[in-house]
C-alpha cells in the first residue's frame, strides 16, 4: 500500500482483504503466485505451481538439491551408502526432526524410518492401507518415472536407518529421490486420522517436516503458512508466508510495484524492461532448465500419422512465436532437453518453417484438404510459456495456411491437467521444468512408456526403440556413455515428432529491494526458508 490507499484492480480486493492484517505484521512475506495448486500432497501431482505450494514450503526429502544448483545434499538423511553393484542404497536418518502439528494432530515422536517406509509404500503398494484415501487420485510422478520397475523394496533396518533395494542399477536414482513426490510424510498422522474416521484430511491439512506449516487455504485467492519454530535446519527468518494467488501477470506486477507482494512469479516479457528501471525491484535472471511444447495425442487420428505430425512441425513459424510471445526471453527449441543440459544433441536440425512442404506431407498422409482439430492452450503463465493463448492464436493462424482448422480450447488449470491425464486432448500445449538436473527427468517422465499411465506423457507415445535406449541409459554409470544413448533417443524423437518443440525460456523473477537472501532455484521452485526482509 502507498499513502494508506488500496490499489483498485480487478480481483484484488478479495485477496487484499484476506491478508491485509497479516501483511501489517513483522516479517510477513507475500509471494504473488500464478495459480491455484491442484492439492497439497506432492505424491499426487507433477506441476510446478502445485509443488511450490505443497512440497517446497512444507515437506522434506531424504536428499535435496542445494538451492540454485543441481548439487545433491543431505536433508532428512544425514548420509548414505551405495553398494558396489549399485543395487542397495542405505540411508542414515537425521535425529531430532520434528513434524508439524495442527488442531487435529500433535505428534508424539520425531521422524523415523517408519515414516520413510510409509511414505514410499503408500505409493508403491496398491494394497497399502493409505493407497486409496483420496478418490480419483493417482501417484502420478511415481508412475511417470516407473519407480515400480526400479525399486524392489524398501526396508526399515532400525529406527534411524532405511534401505532401498533396486531391481537393477539406476544411475539417476539419487537425483530422483530429491524430487517432490519423494517427500516424507507422517505415518503417525495417517494412523490417527484413520482411527478418527477422518483419513481424507491427511492430503488436505498436510503435516510435514518443512520450514513452514500449513495454516489455511482459500481456493483461487490465498494460502497462509507460518514459520515452523522447530524446523530441523533452523527456524525461518520470516514469521508468516502468504501466497496471493494472482493469475493475471499484469495484476501481479501492479501488486509488486505497490509493495503488496515481495516476490512475483512469471512476469510478462513486455514488462521486464520496466522492471529493470524500477529502483525498488531487483530482477533475477537465468537460463531455464525447461521446454515448452505442443504434443500430439498419437492415439487419436490424425496424429497417429507421423507425416501429419511432421507436417504440423513444418507449419509453425517459431521465429514469430519467439518475437511475439517471448520477446527476447526465449530461444527456439529443437530437442526435448535444453542446450544447458548434458547429452544435448546439437547435430539435429530443426524442422524448417515450410508451409508448402507441410501441405505436401498432409496430402501424402491422406489429408489434402486438411482437417479440423482442437488445440488446447495453457490457461496460466508458466516458466516455459508466458502467454499460452497468444501462442495458440499464432499456431492457429499458421496451421490455417496449410488447411488445418484449429479450434482453441482451454480449462481452469486444475481441470486442464486432470483431463489430459485421461487422454481427452488431441493437440495439447504444455511444458516442463526439470526437477533434478538429470536428462532422464525429461526423457522418461515426458515421453517414456510408463509416463503414459501417469499422465506425464501427454502425447501418449510409446516407441520401443526409444524406450530401450532410455532404459539402457539409466543402467549405465558413465555419463559419456549415457549421453550417447540420449543423443540417439533425441534422433528418434525428432523423426517421430510426437511434439512440436517450441522454446526454452529464460527465467525471470522480480523481487522487492527489501527482500534479502532470495535465490532463484534451478528447478523453477520458489524457496523462502532462508529469506529475510529488511526492516
Amino acid at each position: 500500500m502507498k499513502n494508506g490507499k488500496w490499489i483498485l484492480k480487478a480481483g484484488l480486493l478479495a485477496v487484499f482483504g484476506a491478508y491485509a492484517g497479516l501483511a501489517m505484521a513483522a516479517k510477513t512475506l507475500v509471494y504473488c503466485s500464478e495459480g491455484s495448486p491442484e492439492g497439497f500432497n506432492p505424491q499426487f501431482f507433477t506441476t510446478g505451481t502445485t509443488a511450490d505450494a505443497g512440497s517446497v514450503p512444507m515437506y522434506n526429502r531424504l536428499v535435496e538439491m542445494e538451492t540454485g544448483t543441481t548439487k545433491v545434499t543431505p536433508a532428512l538423511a544425514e548420509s548414505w551408502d551405495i553398494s558396489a553393484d549399485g543395487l542397495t542404497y542405505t540411508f542414515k536418518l537425521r535425529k531430532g526432526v520434528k513434524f508439524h502439528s495442527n488442531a487435529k494432530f500433535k505428534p508424539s515422536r520425531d521422524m523415523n524410518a517408519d515414516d520413510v517406509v510409509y511414505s514410499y509404500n503408500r505409493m508403491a503398494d496398491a494394497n497399502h492401507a493409505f493407497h486409496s484415501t483420496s478418490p480419483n487420485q493417482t501417484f502420478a510422478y511415481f508412475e511417470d518415472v516407473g519407480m515400480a520397475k526400479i525399486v524392489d523394496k524398501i526396508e526399515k533396518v532400525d529406527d534411524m536407518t532405511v534401505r532401498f533395494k533396486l531391481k537393477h542399477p539406476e544411475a539417476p536414482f539419487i537425483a530422483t529421490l530429491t524430487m517432490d513426490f519423494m517427500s516424507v510424510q507422517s505415518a503417525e498422522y495417517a494412523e490417527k486420522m484413520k482411527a478418527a474416521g477422518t483419513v481424507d484430511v491427511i492430503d488436505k491439512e498436510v503435516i510435514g517436516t518443512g520450514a513452514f506449516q500449513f495454516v489455511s487455504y482459500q481456493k483461487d485467492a490465498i494460502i497462509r503458512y507460518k514459520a515452523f519454530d522447530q524446523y530441523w535446519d533452523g527456524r525461518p527468518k520470516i514469521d508468516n508466508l502468504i501466497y496471493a494467488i494472482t493469475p493475471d501477470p499484469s495484476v501481479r506486477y501492479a501488486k509488486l510495484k505497490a509493495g503488496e507482494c515481495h516476490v512475483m512469479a512469471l512476469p510478462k516479457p513486455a514488462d521486464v524492461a520496466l522492471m529493470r528501471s524500477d529502483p525498488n525491484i531487483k530482477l533475477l535472471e537465468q537460463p531455464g532448465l525447461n521446454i515448452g511444447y505442443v504434443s500430439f495425442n498419437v492415439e487419436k487420428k490424425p496424429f497417429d500419422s507421423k507425416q501429419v505430425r511432421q507436417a504440423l512441425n513444418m507449419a509453425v513459424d517459431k521465429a514469430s512465436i519467439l518475437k511475439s510471445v517471448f520477446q527476447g526471453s526465449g530461444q527456439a527449441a529443437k530437442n526435448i532437453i535444453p542446450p544447458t543440459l548434458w547429452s544435448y544433441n546439437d547435430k539435429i536440425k530443426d524442422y524448417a518453417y515450410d508451409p508448402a512442404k507441410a501441405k505436401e506431407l498432409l496430402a501424402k498422409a491422406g489429408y489434402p484438404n486438411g482437417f479440423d482439430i482442437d488445440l488446447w492452450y495453457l490457461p496460466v503463465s508458466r516458466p516455459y510459456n508466458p502467454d499460452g493463448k497468444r501462442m495458440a492464436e499464432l499456431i492457429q493462424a499458421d496451421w490455417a495456411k496449410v488447411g488445418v482448422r484449429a479450434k482453441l480450447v482451454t480449462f481452469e488449470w486444475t481441470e486442464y491437467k486432470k483431463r489430459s491425464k485421461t487422454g481427452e486432448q488431441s493437440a495439447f500445449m504444455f511444458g516442463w521444468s526439470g526437477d533434478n538436473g538429470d536428462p532422464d527427468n525429461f526423457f522418461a517422465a515426458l515421453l517414456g512408456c510408463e509416463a503414459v499411465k501417469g499422465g506425464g506423457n501427454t502425447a501418449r507415445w510409446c516407441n520401443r526403440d526409444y524406450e530401450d535406449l532410455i532404459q539402457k541409459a539409466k543402467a549405465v554409470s558413465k555419463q559419456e556413455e549415457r549421453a550417447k544413448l540420449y543423443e540417439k533417443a533425441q534422433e528418434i524423437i525428432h523423426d517421430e515428432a510426437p511434439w512440436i518443440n517450441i522454446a526454452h525460456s529464460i527465467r525471470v523473477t522480480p523481487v522487492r529491494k527489501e527482500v534479502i537472501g532470495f535465490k532463484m532455484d534451478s528447478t523453477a521452485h520458489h524457496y523462502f526458508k532462508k529469506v529475510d526482509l529488511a526492516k
Side-chain angles (χ1 to χ4, degrees):
M1 286 176 255
K2 288 185 176 180
N3 300 322
K5 296 181 179 180
W6 294 102
I7 292 183
L8 298 178
K9 289 279 186 180
L12 288 184
L13 288 178
V15 175
F16 287 170
Y19 68 77
L22 276 175
M24 297 299 291
K27 302 291 186 179
T28 295
L29 186 141
V30 181
Y31 167 55
C32 283
S33 64
E34 76 280 14
S36 296
E38 299 156 272
F40 292 99
N41 180 352
Q43 296 178 328
F44 294 151
F45 310 107
T46 63
T47 64
T49 302
T50 299
D52 251 353
S55 61
V56 170
M58 295 189 287
Y59 286 104
N60 293 110
R61 277 65 52 200
L62 291 174
V63 290
E64 298 178 356
M65 287 194 293
E66 183 180 76
T67 304
T69 77
T70 55
K71 178 184 177 183
V72 177
T73 60
L76 297 184
E78 288 186 320
S79 63
W80 59 93
D81 294 310
I82 306 171
S83 63
D85 61 7
L87 296 176
T88 303
Y89 289 68
T90 304
F91 294 86
K92 291 291 184 182
L93 303 183
R94 187 180 301 277
K95 294 180 180 179
V97 174
K98 310 295 183 184
F99 277 107
H100 304 158
S101 62
N102 60 27
K104 297 181 176 72
F105 171 71
K106 307 297 180 189
S108 67
R109 61 168 176 80
D110 294 345
M111 183 275 301
N112 65 27
D114 291 330
D115 301 303
V116 180
V117 173
Y118 155 78
S119 299
Y120 182 82
N121 282 340
R122 183 185 179 192
M123 297 184 286
D125 183 1
N127 296 315
H128 191 274
F130 297 94
H131 185 80
S132 302
T133 54
S134 293
N136 303 317
Q137 290 289 2
T138 61
F139 298 98
Y141 224 135
F142 185 93
E143 295 172 351
D144 284 349
V145 301
M147 286 294 280
K149 292 186 175 180
I150 297 168
V151 178
D152 181 35
K153 60 181 176 179
I154 182 174
E155 300 174 325
K156 172 184 175 180
V157 179
D158 57 44
D159 280 350
M160 301 309 293
T161 310
V162 294
R163 178 183 296 137
F164 286 88
K165 290 195 172 182
L166 308 190
K167 296 179 179 180
H168 55 75
E170 176 78 4
F173 185 66
I174 286 290
T176 299
L177 295 184
T178 69
M179 293 160 61
D180 300 287
F181 79 101
M182 289 301 296
S183 295
V184 174
Q185 303 179 358
S186 169
E188 183 186 18
Y189 183 40
E191 291 291 349
K192 288 193 175 183
M193 293 305 98
K194 182 182 178 183
T198 56
V199 71
D200 60 311
V201 305
I202 66 174
D203 299 319
K204 299 173 183 177
E205 300 171 28
V206 297
I207 294 290
T209 61
F212 296 94
Q213 54 185 328
F214 181 80
V215 175
S216 63
Y217 171 47
Q218 182 182 347
K219 185 173 171 56
D220 299 330
I222 186 171
I223 314 170
R224 290 193 182 97
Y225 312 85
K226 64 180 179 181
F228 184 36
D229 293 335
Q230 296 175 295
Y231 182 50
W232 61 268
D233 198 28
R235 185 193 187 280
K237 297 176 181 178
I238 56 175
D239 302 302
N240 302 298
L241 176 62
I242 292 172
Y243 281 28
I245 300 166
T246 315
D248 188 326
S250 296
V251 177
R252 291 198 296 273
Y253 182 29
K255 290 165 70 174
L256 185 77
K257 287 192 295 183
E260 305 292 351
C261 62
H262 301 95
V263 181
M264 71 166 279
L266 310 175
K268 290 197 304 185
D271 290 335
V272 170
L274 293 172
M275 292 176 178
R276 290 188 202 282
S277 62
D278 190 331
N280 294 313
I281 295 174
K282 298 180 289 186
L283 207 60
L284 308 180
E285 300 177 75
Q286 68 181 37
L289 191 67
N290 60 37
I291 173 71
Y293 59 85
V294 173
S295 65
F296 303 121
N297 186 345
V298 302
E299 294 179 346
K300 292 185 175 182
K301 289 184 177 297
F303 300 129
D304 57 339
S305 166
K306 181 170 74 173
Q307 287 179 316
V308 167
R309 301 193 301 263
Q310 291 177 333
L312 293 188
N313 265 273
M314 296 176 185
V316 171
D317 184 358
K318 291 184 188 178
S320 178
I321 290 174
L322 285 169
K323 182 179 180 180
S324 179
V325 176
F326 290 88
Q327 301 184 36
S329 65
Q331 66 179 102
K334 63 181 182 180
N335 290 320
I336 183 176
I337 59 173
T340 53
L341 192 58
W342 62 270
S343 79
Y344 182 82
N345 190 341
D346 202 28
K347 294 179 182 179
I348 288 176
K349 291 186 178 180
D350 197 8
Y351 288 98
Y353 175 53
D354 191 338
K357 179 65 174 176
K359 291 189 73 172
E360 288 180 19
L361 276 179
L362 288 174
K364 288 180 180 179
Y367 299 95
N369 300 315
F371 49 83
D372 294 282
I373 198 70
D374 286 348
L375 171 59
W376 291 23
Y377 67 88
L378 288 163
V380 294
S381 303
R382 302 302 302 131
Y384 44 75
N385 186 341
D387 192 340
K389 184 178 182 181
R390 179 58 181 150
M391 183 184 290
E393 290 169 344
L394 293 170
I395 293 173
Q396 181 187 48
D398 286 342
W399 284 355
K401 295 173 186 175
V402 299
V404 174
R405 298 166 294 277
K407 177 185 176 182
L408 303 188
V409 176
T410 196
F411 303 93
E412 182 272 331
W413 177 233
T414 302
E415 188 70 14
Y416 188 82
K417 271 289 294 172
K418 180 181 177 181
R419 287 172 179 255
S420 73
K421 287 186 67 174
T422 62
E424 184 179 327
Q425 72 278 12
S426 293
F428 183 75
M429 185 184 296
F430 208 51
W432 187 252
S433 293
D435 289 302
N436 62 24
D438 192 285
D440 175 70
N441 184 232
F442 286 78
F443 290 105
L446 301 181
L447 286 173
C449 293
E450 291 293 321
V452 174
K453 182 171 66 173
N457 185 343
T458 56
R460 306 182 77 82
W461 175 79
C462 178
N463 180 282
R464 296 318 312 182
D465 292 334
Y466 171 84
E467 189 72 15
D468 288 345
L469 285 169
I470 66 170
Q471 293 301 328
K472 185 177 179 180
K474 295 205 298 181
V476 174
S477 59
K478 292 185 178 179
Q479 184 170 303
E480 58 270 25
E481 293 181 23
R482 294 183 70 205
K484 291 178 182 178
L485 294 167
Y486 287 136
E487 287 169 8
K488 291 180 181 178
Q490 287 164 81
E491 293 171 5
I492 293 175
I493 296 171
H494 176 76
D495 179 61
E496 286 286 318
W499 285 359
I500 303 175
N501 293 307
I502 301 291
H504 308 292
S505 73
I506 298 170
R507 289 176 47 231
V508 179
T509 302
V511 302
R512 297 277 307 177
K513 67 177 182 179
E514 57 266 30
V515 176
I516 300 169
F518 179 83
K519 292 183 179 180
M520 291 186 73
D521 189 63
S522 59
T523 66
H525 291 345
H526 295 79
Y527 288 94
F528 299 107
K529 59 186 178 182
K530 301 293 184 182
V531 174
D532 200 355
L533 291 170
K535 292 184 179 180

